[in-house]
Amino acid sequence: MRRYEVMFIVHPSSNDEGIERITGQMEEVVRSYDGEVHAVDRLGKKKLAYEIQDLREGIYILLTIGAGGDCIKELERRLRVNDQVLRYLTVRVDEHLKRAEKIKAARLKKKARRSRGTEPEAVAPAI
């Protein structure tokens, strides 16, 4: 199961019930495809980078999920046909997380070597 972040922008005139309904539908789609919803972050109303449908701001929502390709396809289809959703973007983040974990492990290993004093001293090259 791969990990994704799905960011979507909802119409700024949407009330809390409407936003909860949309996010609830998205969570339900993920669970129906045997996926996991790791987090739902409501980032609030923010200014858009450019006007969309004569609107200057929107309500941003970020879903962090673990799912397969079929789930993402259905999720994006539902976001596309929903009139309240202005834009959406899905990004696969599992590769980035693996890379970050490797870098973190290497740093910890290097720090442990330095604290034990087994780090080789840097030797200046002879000229």
Side-chain angles (χ1 to χ4, degrees):
M1 188 176 325
R2 294 184 173 159
R3 198 149 180 195
Y4 295 91
E5 286 183 349
V6 181
M7 170 80 73
F8 57 97
I9 306 171
V10 180
H11 197 281
S13 66
S14 297
N15 56 11
D16 289 336
E17 293 173 7
I19 294 170
E20 288 299 321
R21 188 179 69 247
I22 293 170
T23 56
Q25 288 173 354
M26 299 306 129
E27 290 178 43
E28 190 175 309
V29 168
V30 172
R31 289 188 184 103
S32 69
Y33 280 87
D34 296 328
E36 300 173 354
V37 177
H38 298 289
V40 178
D41 296 325
R42 291 180 61 181
L43 304 175
K45 194 178 281 191
K46 297 186 181 281
K47 185 179 175 192
L48 300 173
Y50 55 90
E51 284 189 18
I52 301 172
Q53 301 172 4
D54 295 328
L55 298 171
R56 296 179 186 270
E57 56 186 20
I59 300 170
Y60 284 68
I61 301 171
L62 176 68
L63 292 174
T64 306
I65 60 173
D70 292 337
C71 176
I72 298 302
K73 188 175 180 179
E74 177 64 17
L75 207 92
E76 288 183 343
R77 185 191 71 77
R78 289 195 184 204
L79 289 169
R80 192 177 318 115
V81 299
N82 192 325
D83 293 336
Q84 291 296 310
V85 176
L86 302 176
R87 291 284 190 273
Y88 66 90
L89 179 69
T90 305
V91 179
R92 188 173 139 200
V93 294
D94 58 348
E95 295 296 323
H96 299 292
L97 291 174
K98 285 181 187 176
R99 183 169 180 255
E101 287 173 8
K102 278 185 178 179
I103 291 171
K104 185 177 179 181
R107 285 181 183 161
L108 290 173
K109 188 176 179 181
K110 189 173 183 179
K111 186 177 179 180
R113 271 191 275 158
R114 282 186 186 160
S115 66
R116 287 192 312 247
T118 59
E119 182 75 20
E121 294 294 322
V123 178
I127 299 180

